[in-house]
Amino acid sequence: MRDALGDVQSALVLGGGSEIALATVRKLVERRTRTVVLAARRPDELTPAAEELRAAGADTVECLGFDAEDGVEAHAALVDDVFGRHGDIDLVLVAAGVLGDQERAASDARAARALVETNFSGLVSAIVPCAERLQAQGHGTLCVLSTVAGERPRRSNFVYGASKAGLDAFAQGLGDRLAGTGVRVLVVRPGFVHTRMTEGLDAAPLATTPEKVAEAIIDGIASGADTVWAPPALRYVMSVLRHVPRPIFRRLPM
Ligand SMILES: NC(=O)c1ccc[n+]([C@@H]2O[C@H](COP(=O)([O-])OP(=O)(O)OC[C@H]3O[C@@H](n4cnc5c(N)ncnc54)[C@H](OP(=O)(O)O)[C@@H]3O)[C@@H](O)[C@H]2O)c1
């Protein structure tokens, strides 16, 4: 249950090793989040991050196994386990995702399907039981890391963009379905963020940092927003780009 000041007390992160997620959790712990569950493909590698969070004031930090490619039953069991042992969870942060190899995914059906499964269907299968649990407890925020690339997929990374567009649409619809239940869904649309995911790539205009995205997430949770862009100016950039005619859009250097 969020405390008297509205701060998050407990958080479950799906994709617990994500740099954006860890930056967010660090800021949450500074503010008084006391229980953190980091669910990731290789939970042992998160031991240093867990120790850092404990040193910063978290009472309980757990690292559990989670793979978006696991089946529906494994996802349901993980969610049951976490909510069963920790009770109320105030925030579920869905951060897992892969950029993938666009050139390969555009021409190799297996690669394209793997990208869509990790970024979309695999996460949907974990989000549904989380949403059910949040609804049963009557409060909480489900925060989903989407991207501006999902708002209008670009030729250069449309498989990733399409997978995130699916996730974004699912999260929006779920948020509408849960309106009035006490559960909120926050869709986060960062632009280019300097993390492992973008290492070696040329930074896009308005590139930002995990810490800045973390601030946008925390502000979004506090304000009850449905959607946040990081940086906020991307909202206006995208509202223009969304309407650029396709013959022109496909010639833009991006
Ligand atoms: N960086 C950007 O420019 C940017 C922009 C917009 C949106 N985003 C989104 O923000 C989210 C976090 O990305 P990030 O920038 O923080 O990059 P990151 O540090 O690479 O985080 C991505 C995380 O996803 C995890 N992951 C990948 N495949 C998985 C799977 N099958 N099951 C479970 N976890 C899996 C990775 O785990 P491993 O450690 O096991 O590889 C990694 O911890 C992603 O959803 C991404 O699409 C990023």
Side-chain angles (χ1 to χ4, degrees):
M1 184 70 94
R2 280 160 75 164
D3 69 11
L5 299 173
D7 280 329
V8 168
Q9 299 273 291
S10 50
L12 163 64
V13 184
L14 300 175
S18 142
E19 287 189 47
I20 294 174
L22 285 173
T24 306
V25 171
R26 276 186 211 108
K27 287 187 191 294
L28 286 171
V29 168
E30 274 169 23
R31 288 168 165 242
R32 97 190 67 240
T33 299
R34 290 294 164 260
T35 300
V36 178
V37 180
L38 301 174
R41 286 193 288 195
R42 289 178 290 274
D44 293 351
E45 291 180 5
L46 293 180
T47 304
E51 278 166 7
E52 186 198 334
L53 293 171
R54 282 187 206 104
D59 297 328
T60 305
V61 184
E62 270 192 7
C63 302
L64 301 177
F66 164 73
D67 192 323
E69 292 174 34
D70 286 341
V72 168
E73 292 78 13
H75 289 160
L78 171 75
V79 173
D80 277 352
D81 175 48
V82 171
F83 280 77
R85 284 183 303 105
H86 293 289
D88 284 9
I89 297 285
D90 297 330
L91 172 69
V92 177
L93 176 57
V94 182
V98 281
L99 194 53
D101 178 340
Q102 159 71 23
E103 276 314 302
R104 188 162 165 233
S107 57
D108 174 339
R110 280 183 210 284
R113 182 172 170 156
L115 199 54
V116 172
E117 282 181 355
T118 298
N119 288 344
F120 181 31
S121 46
L123 295 181
V124 164
S125 121
I127 289 172
V128 169
C130 288
E132 289 294 300
R133 282 291 197 150
L134 294 175
Q135 198 177 349
Q137 74 187 24
H139 68 94
T141 302
L142 184 68
C143 174
V144 177
L145 279 171
S146 175
T147 163
V148 293
E151 281 207 84
R152 186 161 188 189
R154 290 173 283 138
R155 198 170 58 156
S156 59
N157 73 347
F158 70 87
V159 184
Y160 172 75
S163 67
K164 296 298 265 190
L167 182 68
D168 191 301
F170 182 85
Q172 287 181 59
L174 184 63
D176 290 341
R177 177 172 186 268
L178 294 174
T181 64
V183 181
R184 290 190 298 104
V185 178
L186 172 62
V187 176
V188 180
R189 295 184 184 144
F192 187 106
V193 189
H194 291 283
T195 66
R196 276 178 304 163
M197 182 174 274
T198 53
E199 213 171 333
L201 301 178
D202 292 336
L206 300 176
T208 188
T209 62
E211 290 70 28
K212 287 281 178 202
V213 180
E215 280 164 21
I217 291 172
I218 289 171
D219 289 350
I221 294 170
S223 69
D226 296 319
T227 314
V228 293
W229 283 259
L234 279 173
R235 174 182 197 154
Y236 306 103
V237 173
M238 289 314 296
S239 61
V240 172
L241 281 180
R242 205 178 295 130
H243 300 290
V244 171
R246 281 182 69 192
I248 298 171
F249 188 75
R250 68 173 65 111
R251 285 192 178 84
L252 293 178
M254 53 186 203

